[in-house]
Amino acid sequence: MTDLATAAGASTEESPIVDGTDGFADMTAAGGMDGATTPIDAGDDGSGDRPVEWAPTADAPKKKRHVGRWVGIGLAAIALGLGAASTILIAPGTAIAGVPVGGMTVGAAAEAVNSHVSGMQITLTGQGSGNHVTGSDLGAHIDATKLAEQAFAKHPMWNITSWMSAPISGTITLDARAAEHALRAQVPSVYQDATDATVSFDAAAGKYVTTPGKSGSGISLAALTDAISTAADKGDGSMSFPASATPVAPGITDKTATDTAARLNTMLSTIGFYVGKERTVPVDPATAASWIRVTPDDGSLSIQADQAAIQKAVDGLAAKVNRAPVNATTVVNSSGEVLQNLTPGVNGRQLGDVSGAAAGFASQLQGGDGTFALPVKDTPFSSTALLRKIDVNLSTETLTVTENGNVVDSWLVSSGREGFATHTGSFTVNWKLDTQNMGNTDLTKAPFYYQPDVKWVMYFNGDEALHGVYWHDNWGTPMSHGCVGMPEYRAEWLFDWSPQGIEVNVHY
């Protein structure tokens, strides 16, 4: 019995308890439900007198079922799944523009917010007579993806401290064109088109002038946008809005037109093709205006230039820009010092490559700049120096003028008479007067003569001068008090021909 009990106990420890039926099923398979043992013959000789011993029937080998282990693995997998999900989901209690997005991915949250905004039902009251439009009709937009990304960044599910956060508001905008189109269709009586201010060229005045704009009416999109934003933030899917007329300013205001006209008129005052600072080829206002178009551009005015029209002007530039050099002519003394510039030197110029000038000028005009610099190549001028001299021969009473050693002209004069002889030497003209009264009106005092209105006077040695004489014509004879006199027409020519500083040589 001890062995039986021990065997029974061992069998009990090795049998896994899975449910209430598995053990009985094994017993049935071994020997039936009505018996747990099988008789064993301990030495039966056929007489039936020997005692019978009972022993437990041995169970067939069984697979051990570790159910607890599998349950643990399942719970761990669930925990891992929840942990992984918490790294991509937004925290509970988070709302964007009135939409609860807790437990959502960024993409799902963005889709929910977009659906909320575009599906907003707006009932128009007043003149709207109950008509309605949707957020989608109005082109309502919210940057839902950006807001969802911000929500996840600040309030991820894994961070329990970020749960149940304050609502996140988003900026809602309306597409002005789509909204006006939808609202006009519902309440046309509210809308009256505004008239834009304009800018045009007045040919008679030669300048740009403006025509004032006029306000219209319509539904305020700013007020409607604010109302939609407020309703969305509350989580409402519908709202009412009064379809009442509010003033609508022109797209192009009077100030915009005035500023544009002023800019154009300033440009007209300087417009042209320039060589350096010189406006070599001016463009008159009417021609410039024919190149320019002023067009509305989303609330502003833009300047457009006609490149083909400008090209016609460019084609005629060479004839107006090209020029031959003007050579310089100077009067010098024997030292080479310039006494007078008879002809200032001017470089010649040749127009360079202007193949891109029309396009370049058009671009400048559109930016408000009417001064186009031309590419030119200078042709240097040359200089000619003239060495002019005056020669007075007292022996022959003649005056001779030379230029670079060549005689230009010669004529008779009257020099100082005896007792007042003209001094000899090399001098220079240091003082020139168109006219002068010579002598003293008091003839009792030196120099004891008076000669008024003496013309074309050039002093070369103290009070000795070359000048015109009208009171005698005794040329070739000394007649003066030391001056060299000559006919007035000769004196005038010499006065104009001789610069101050010209050399005068007086000799016998």
Side-chain angles (χ1 to χ4, degrees):
M1 294 301 289
T2 302
D3 293 338
L4 178 60
T6 303
S11 175
T12 302
E13 290 177 356
E14 294 177 358
S15 300
I17 301 174
V18 178
D19 55 34
T21 62
D22 288 350
F24 292 105
D26 291 341
M27 289 174 67
T28 303
M33 288 296 293
D34 58 347
T37 59
T38 302
I40 301 175
D41 188 353
D44 189 6
D45 56 1
S47 63
D49 293 333
R50 295 193 64 178
V52 177
E53 293 185 2
W54 295 90
T57 304
D59 291 336
K62 296 177 59 178
K63 293 183 179 178
K64 295 182 181 180
R65 303 186 180 181
H66 300 288
V67 175
R69 181 183 303 172
W70 289 110
V71 170
I73 292 174
L75 291 174
I78 292 171
L80 287 173
L82 290 174
S86 71
T87 65
I88 63 171
L89 300 180
I90 300 172
T94 305
I96 301 174
V99 179
V101 295
M104 294 185 182
T105 62
V106 168
E111 185 176 349
V113 172
N114 278 328
S115 178
H116 177 53
V117 172
S118 63
M120 179 71 69
Q121 295 285 329
I122 300 102
T123 300
L124 302 173
T125 62
Q127 296 187 46
S129 302
N131 292 343
H132 70 272
V133 291
T134 65
S136 178
D137 295 335
L138 302 176
H141 172 75
I142 186 170
D143 195 344
T145 299
K146 181 178 180 180
L147 292 170
E149 290 172 347
Q150 291 175 353
F152 176 71
K154 294 181 179 180
H155 311 292
M157 178 179 282
W158 60 263
N159 185 358
I160 298 177
T161 62
S162 70
W163 291 20
M164 311 306 291
S165 60
I168 299 173
S169 296
T171 302
I172 295 176
T173 59
L174 301 182
D175 183 307
R177 292 177 183 244
E180 182 175 335
H181 177 76
L183 294 170
R184 274 181 181 270
Q186 298 298 323
V187 281
S189 60
V190 171
Y191 282 86
Q192 181 176 354
D193 291 335
T195 302
D196 288 344
T198 61
V199 175
S200 59
F201 181 73
D202 185 337
K207 65 179 183 179
Y208 283 90
V209 296
T210 64
T211 301
K214 183 179 179 182
S215 295
S217 64
I219 292 176
S220 171
L221 294 185
L224 178 55
T225 302
D226 289 343
I228 292 173
S229 296
T230 299
D233 283 343
K234 292 179 179 179
D236 295 340
S238 63
M239 56 169 283
S240 296
F241 186 79
S244 56
T246 58
V248 176
I252 307 299
T253 65
D254 291 351
K255 183 179 185 307
T256 297
T258 299
D259 291 347
T260 302
R263 185 162 60 126
L264 286 166
N265 287 329
T266 298
M267 188 168 64
L268 289 183
S269 66
T270 58
I271 191 169
F273 297 92
Y274 284 70
V275 175
K277 295 182 178 180
E278 173 193 272
R279 184 159 63 149
T280 307
V281 184
V283 178
D284 65 89
T287 298
S290 71
W291 296 352
I292 294 170
R293 290 181 294 108
V294 182
T295 58
D297 183 13
D298 194 22
S300 64
L301 290 171
S302 65
I303 300 171
Q304 304 295 322
D306 186 345
Q307 181 177 330
I310 297 172
Q311 185 62 52
K312 295 179 181 178
V314 172
D315 292 341
L317 286 175
K320 299 176 181 179
V321 174
N322 294 347
R323 71 182 180 199
V326 176
N327 294 329
T329 303
T330 59
V331 178
V332 300
N333 60 19
S334 296
S335 299
E337 179 184 357
V338 175
L339 303 179
Q340 182 182 10
N341 287 308
L342 294 180
T343 306
V346 180
N347 285 335
R349 64 188 177 204
Q350 190 75 23
L351 184 64
D353 180 12
V354 290
S355 58
F361 203 179
S363 178
Q364 285 189 204
L365 291 175
Q366 289 170 184
D369 181 3
T371 60
F372 188 79
L374 291 173
V376 295
K377 180 181 179 180
D378 285 341
T379 305
F381 64 85
S382 60
S383 298
T384 299
L386 304 176
L387 174 59
R388 290 180 175 179
K389 291 184 177 182
I390 298 173
D391 183 87
V392 178
N393 189 327
L394 299 179
S395 297
T396 59
E397 287 294 309
T398 58
L399 182 149
T400 302
V401 292
T402 62
E403 187 174 87
N404 291 342
N406 299 313
V407 174
V408 176
D409 205 348
S410 182
W411 56 84
L412 292 173
V413 294
S414 291
S415 63
R417 68 178 184 267
E418 186 177 353
F420 300 96
T422 303
H423 291 83
T424 60
S426 296
F427 310 101
T428 59
V429 171
N430 50 51
W431 190 18
K432 295 176 69 175
L433 296 170
D434 292 346
T435 183
Q436 183 184 31
N437 296 327
M438 290 186 172
N440 194 328
T441 55
D442 184 352
L443 298 180
T444 64
K445 297 179 180 179
F448 306 106
Y449 74 90
Y450 177 70
Q451 200 67 51
D453 197 23
V454 180
K455 297 182 182 302
W456 318 119
V457 181
M458 296 192 297
Y459 286 96
F460 62 89
N461 180 32
D463 59 357
E464 293 178 342
L466 303 163
H467 61 75
V469 172
Y470 60 84
W471 52 92
H472 77 80
D473 57 1
N474 193 19
W475 314 120
T477 303
M479 298 284 293
S480 74
H481 283 73
C483 291
V484 178
M486 64 198 76
E488 284 189 315
Y489 79 92
R490 291 287 193 183
E492 181 180 8
W493 182 92
L494 184 64
F495 187 94
D496 292 339
W497 184 82
S498 305
Q500 188 164 309
I502 192 172
E503 298 169 33
V504 180
N505 185 32
V506 182
H507 61 91
Y508 283 98

